[in-house]
Amino acid sequence: MAAHFDRRLRKAAVTTTVAAVAVAALSASQAPDVTADGNGRQTTADNMPTSDTPPEESATGNSPYYTDLPPLNSPKPSPTTGTPSSRGSSEAGIPATVLDAYKKAESELRRAKPGCNLPWQLLAAIGKVESGQARGGRVDANGTTIGRIIGPQLDGNGFALIKDTDNGVYDGNSSYDNAVGPMQFIPSTWSWAGRDGNGDGKEDPNNVYDAALAAGHYLCRFDWDLSDQADLDRAILSYNNSQDYLNTVLSWLEHYRKGTHEIPDGTGSLPVGRSDDTNAGASPSPGRTGASTPPQAPGTTPSPGHSPSKPPSSGKPTDPGGPSTSPSTPPKDPTPPTETPTPAPTPTDTVHHLENAGTTGLTAIAGDTFAEKISARAETKAGKAVGKVRIRFTVLGDTDAAFTGGDKVAAVTTNASGVAVAPALVAGEQTGGFTVRATVIGRTVPGLDYKATVTERVADALTSTGETELTCTPGGEFADPVQVKATLKGAVADKVAVTATLIKSEDDPTENDKGPYFKDADGKAVRTLTGRPTDANGLLELPKLFADDAEGTYVLRLTTPGGGRLDITLKVAKAAEPTPDPSTEPSTAPEA
């Protein structure tokens, strides 16, 4: 009762504050259609942020979220001693392992996508709204939640309709998808957004390190700059498409930016208000009715502040103050049961298969962009094109190739002709073959595979930037190093692998067994070097050359993929005898 009373007091205080902000904003503007958002910023109906991300492609499937707002008092940057005297002081703290996961994710995104400017406080704000910081930090030493955190099934009954995409692997539901884990990813999104944040070789949505890193990459997937307010709003709305959600996350973001502190795992406070909780006095967001608490995994207990949802049989809210009814004599429902109408099939439901929409050869030189983009067409069983279907393209195999922006996965909506064209594919430095697979998001149909190949970098010419003829005495070392430049059609050819071989002659390219040589790490003689890359300017300097005791003229041949070739002449000969100076020679003429 005390907690319930405290919540009502706090909601009243927040309501009063928000009303005051709105009145102040309206008074300042004196203009029609001007309102203030949850952070006091003035907005108009024309510039309210929106998101075109469909539920099945969002992070959460637009599942319910916690609506509790930050405490009104300013957060303290350092932990307080003893037991917090108010709920606000504990809300300002973040469980240690959860906080570490957010900060590590920020560090990784700063390296991988520096232009995104992802702050860890944004991950903390989303984590607070989605799961109450993993139920107050109930995680093990590796960051995995103790018991799964699972949202209500997205069956179209008050929620988005997202049929099962993971065969129940993550959410235990083989009919519909549920949001899973501390960052509440739906399986269909986790399948391409999932990351391994703790280096254990697994991508687990129930692990806060994996989930936080995945959330960071998800928020940065469109080259958004999160230091820009418009991009920040778009990113948050793509995570969960609700204006109330946006305002709630922004409130917590601002709160954490002002300061927070680390608290022990498992001691964090749990939110009590949810977007689909009509009994707590909160008005639900559109499309957010239904279960007020996520179903629990076997062997776990409901989080404090939640009770398992039991929909009333009559469809009418129960009266907590009314007389109780014996379980053995359930009340009669005067309302006759009605059949739930079958939802009309979506375009996705009509897709029978995918067809190649004209992609033929996928080959690129390492570091280059593939000239052709991958395209797939969604069709019905009768071969009719299906528009407005989300197609996911995924790079598979041992390769560092990726789509523009560095992502291994891209989702594209088919056009009126049923065709989806993937972003440009960029080859990495790793050569060899790999696969790009196209699948239909939200529909289990066979994927369509495209084979791609990355070939090594090439150069069609090699030129010497130093001497083309080098000399050395037997048993000595060549004073000048071999320096070359690689080009392709006259342009600099960088990172091209050069092979250098000391051959028997210009007509016999087999490796020589005598004469000049290089040294390996152990100081042993080697006469062939492979894989020596040119630098960004196409230049390469070979290691020092040595000579054995065999005199003669030798050939060092350098070659590159693509036809580049250059022969360097090496001469090993004794030093010439100095020419006598006649003026210093003793005279042999007879004396007079």
Side-chain angles (χ1 to χ4, degrees), residues 30-311:
Q30 293 298 310
D33 298 324
V34 177
T35 60
D37 64 16
N39 295 306
R41 293 188 301 268
Q42 290 187 5
T43 61
T44 68
D46 292 334
N47 63 15
M48 287 293 286
T50 59
S51 172
D52 59 359
T53 304
E56 65 272 14
E57 195 62 23
S58 69
T60 69
N62 297 340
S63 293
Y65 56 90
Y66 289 111
T67 57
D68 293 39
L69 294 174
L72 298 178
N73 59 303
S74 298
K76 296 180 180 180
S78 59
T80 56
T81 58
T83 303
S85 58
S86 69
R87 190 178 58 168
S89 60
S90 65
E91 282 180 341
I94 300 177
T97 299
V98 180
L99 179 60
D100 184 56
Y102 296 149
K103 291 186 175 181
K104 284 188 175 180
E106 178 200 54
S107 178
E108 171 61 22
L109 266 297
R110 294 286 183 189
R111 183 197 65 79
K113 296 184 178 181
C116 182
N117 294 307
L118 171 80
W120 67 260
Q121 291 91 343
L122 176 59
L123 298 176
I126 291 176
K128 179 69 175 180
V129 170
E130 292 295 345
S131 69
Q133 311 298 19
R135 290 202 193 112
R138 292 185 67 244
V139 297
D140 63 19
N142 296 318
T144 302
T145 59
I146 301 173
R148 293 187 297 176
I149 304 173
I150 302 178
Q153 69 177 13
L154 301 173
D155 57 5
N157 183 23
F159 305 104
L161 175 60
I162 304 178
K163 295 181 179 179
D164 175 62
T165 61
D166 67 330
N167 293 320
V169 171
Y170 294 120
D171 53 17
N173 189 341
S174 59
S175 297
Y176 301 94
D177 272 351
N178 305 62
V180 179
M183 303 303 279
Q184 288 290 277
F185 276 96
I186 54 175
S188 59
T189 300
W190 183 261
S191 66
W192 59 266
R195 296 292 193 279
D196 177 14
N198 61 353
D200 64 356
K202 298 184 294 183
E203 297 173 355
D204 182 4
N206 299 293
N207 182 278
V208 70
Y209 287 98
D210 295 0
L213 183 59
H217 277 280
Y218 180 89
L219 293 165
C220 293
R221 70 196 186 285
F222 288 142
D223 293 330
W224 280 324
D225 178 1
L226 301 186
S227 64
D228 177 80
Q229 187 64 48
D231 279 356
L232 176 63
D233 291 349
R234 294 187 190 98
I236 295 172
L237 285 170
S238 76
Y239 206 93
N240 197 318
N241 193 9
S242 162
Q243 294 295 329
D244 290 340
Y245 181 86
L246 171 65
N247 292 336
T248 305
V249 170
L250 289 176
S251 295
W252 281 105
L253 171 60
E254 183 65 19
H255 177 74
Y256 288 134
R257 276 177 166 164
K258 290 178 180 177
T260 186
H261 63 271
E262 177 184 297
I263 60 175
D265 289 345
T267 65
S269 63
L270 292 170
V272 292
R274 282 179 40 128
S275 60
D276 60 342
D277 183 5
T278 58
N279 293 325
S283 58
S285 300
R288 294 186 182 280
T289 61
S292 62
T293 199
Q296 305 297 317
T300 64
T301 57
S303 304
H306 293 294
S307 60
S309 174
K310 297 180 180 180

Side-chain angles (χ1 to χ4, degrees), residues 472-476 513-517 527 546-551 554 572:
C472 179
T473 58
D513 56 0
K514 63 180 179 179
Y517 60 90
R527 290 186 168 85
F546 300 87
D548 60 15
D549 294 332
E551 296 184 64
Y554 301 92
V572 179

Side-chain angles (χ1 to χ4, degrees), residues 402-462:
F403 294 111
T404 302
D407 288 325
K408 294 280 189 178
V409 178
V412 183
T413 302
T414 59
N415 58 23
S417 300
V419 176
V421 180
L425 190 62
V426 181
E429 295 303 320
Q430 188 172 339
T431 60
F434 64 95
T435 299
V436 178
R437 178 168 297 164
T439 55
V440 180
I441 297 174
R443 178 105 172 131
T444 304
V445 297
L448 182 62
D449 288 350
Y450 301 79
K451 301 299 182 182
T453 303
V454 177
T455 60
E456 56 189 342
R457 293 173 182 260
V458 298
D460 56 15
L462 281 171

Side-chain angles (χ1 to χ4, degrees), residues 551-579:
E551 296 184 64
T553 299
Y554 301 92
V555 177
L556 172 64
R557 176 163 292 174
L558 296 95
T559 58
T560 67
R565 175 177 144 176
L566 175 66
D567 288 345
I568 302 290
T569 300
L570 306 174
K571 288 186 177 181
V572 179
K574 293 180 180 179
E577 294 290 337
T579 302

